[in-house]
Amino acid sequence: MSYGWLGLTYVTGITFLCYYKFRVYAVWSTVEENSLKTKLYLKWILLFFAAYSVVQLIGFSLWYYIPFVISLYVSVLVKLLTTIGIFAIAYLNVQHAHQVAPVVMEMPAGPAEKYKFSKLDHETAQAIQLQLQQLVDTEKFYLQRDLKQKEVADKLATSVHHLSQVLNEHMGISFPDFVNQQRIEAAKKMLIAGDNSKIESIALDTGFNNKVSFNKAFKKFTGFTPSQYKMQLKEQREQAVGLSNV
């Protein structure tokens, strides 16, 4: 019983911690798509731990007053809830997580406000931007799965903060979107060249961890799913062949 109450105290504490984190994030997060997805993800985690705490509390409170069989059912329910919760959290993580390594969430602020204490001058920023483009062309680092922003910053001999500033202020894009954009361009070239690989294989070859994230990124940057884009290319080729035979 002592062990059980310690477990209940731990789970209840985690529930309140999740609630606190969710409320803090909900207050200062933006309404962008990724923020909404993250809020949904945190909400499901919160609901899971809250439900887990309630079931545990009921089970321990009625321990002396209910038959052993019923308490056994409650124990089974708790384990089932745990299994479902872990699966749901993992599923939401796969569905909504960025395919680039997670970036630390920052309070929303305009670029000028966000980088007002930065010592990065305009000439250095332009040099970093040029080096970044050269790195894209020569090393194609974006094809690496689970790519971390620090790895790219190290290759450029700069800091993560300065790289982020160059991307946001001078290129108008975040690091995850920049990487995914490069990956989608590589996938488009493969499809245009007539690559007959399966969509999932192209997704993995261009740095994505799964087909779902690849489809979402592809539609975000092209307006089409990979299958739709592939079909469009096929129709264009058939039309070109038809015109050449006329």
Side-chain angles (χ1 to χ4, degrees):
M1 285 296 293
S2 298
Y3 175 79
W5 281 111
L6 285 174
L8 177 61
T9 303
Y10 170 76
V11 174
T12 304
I14 290 294
T15 302
F16 282 107
L17 177 62
C18 288
Y19 177 75
Y20 170 74
K21 291 293 185 181
F22 175 75
R23 292 303 303 167
V24 169
Y25 184 76
V27 168
W28 54 254
S29 65
T30 65
V31 294
E32 295 177 357
E33 180 183 5
N34 293 329
S35 297
L36 293 175
K37 288 180 178 179
T38 305
K39 288 168 70 175
L40 176 64
Y41 179 49
L42 292 176
K43 182 182 292 185
W44 275 108
I45 295 178
L46 173 64
L47 290 175
F48 163 66
F49 278 111
Y52 189 87
S53 299
V54 169
V55 173
Q56 285 278 56
L57 182 61
I58 293 174
F60 285 115
S61 300
L62 300 180
W63 180 267
Y64 294 107
Y65 307 104
I66 58 178
F68 174 75
V69 175
I70 296 179
S71 66
L72 182 62
Y73 287 154
V74 172
S75 177
V76 172
L77 178 60
V78 170
K79 290 179 173 59
L80 180 62
L81 183 62
T82 302
T83 303
I84 294 174
I86 292 174
F87 176 81
I89 291 171
Y91 176 79
L92 286 170
N93 185 50
V94 171
Q95 289 293 313
H96 301 318
H98 293 299
Q99 295 313 305
V100 183
V103 180
V104 178
M105 293 184 298
E106 300 175 344
M107 293 184 66
E113 180 69 21
K114 185 176 180 181
Y115 302 110
K116 66 179 181 180
F117 297 113
S118 175
K119 296 180 180 180
L120 181 67
D121 57 74
H122 184 71
E123 290 74 16
T124 304
Q126 285 186 321
I128 292 175
Q129 183 176 347
L130 179 61
Q131 291 171 357
L132 178 61
Q133 188 57 53
Q134 291 174 344
L135 196 64
V136 167
D137 297 335
T138 57
E139 294 194 19
K140 295 180 170 56
F141 63 86
Y142 50 86
L143 299 179
Q144 175 186 330
R145 297 182 203 169
D146 301 319
L147 178 67
K148 293 180 175 61
Q149 190 169 356
K150 188 177 186 307
E151 295 178 53
V152 180
D154 289 343
K155 288 179 180 291
L156 297 171
T158 187
S159 66
V160 172
H161 185 74
H162 282 173
L163 175 58
S164 175
Q165 184 176 355
V166 169
L167 287 167
N168 283 273
E169 280 192 338
H170 296 266
M171 302 175 68
I173 194 170
S174 66
F175 178 73
D177 278 350
F178 175 77
V179 173
N180 282 342
Q181 187 179 59
Q182 300 301 320
R183 290 172 173 174
I184 296 305
E185 287 301 316
K188 285 168 61 179
K189 290 178 181 177
M190 293 174 67
L191 292 171
I192 292 172
D195 193 317
N196 291 320
S197 302
K198 292 183 178 179
I199 297 299
E200 186 173 2
S201 296
I202 295 177
L204 297 177
D205 289 342
T206 52
F208 288 92
N209 289 331
N210 55 65
K211 182 179 176 180
V212 174
S213 58
F214 174 61
N215 285 344
K216 288 183 178 180
F218 199 98
K219 189 165 186 178
K220 177 178 181 178
F221 291 107
T222 68
F224 301 97
T225 65
S227 298
Q228 290 171 339
Y229 189 80
K230 194 173 184 179
M231 182 62 67
Q232 189 180 62
L233 290 173
K234 182 180 178 181
E235 291 175 354
Q236 290 175 354
R237 292 192 187 102
E238 290 177 349
Q239 291 176 359
V241 171
L243 290 174
S244 64
N245 292 332
V246 174

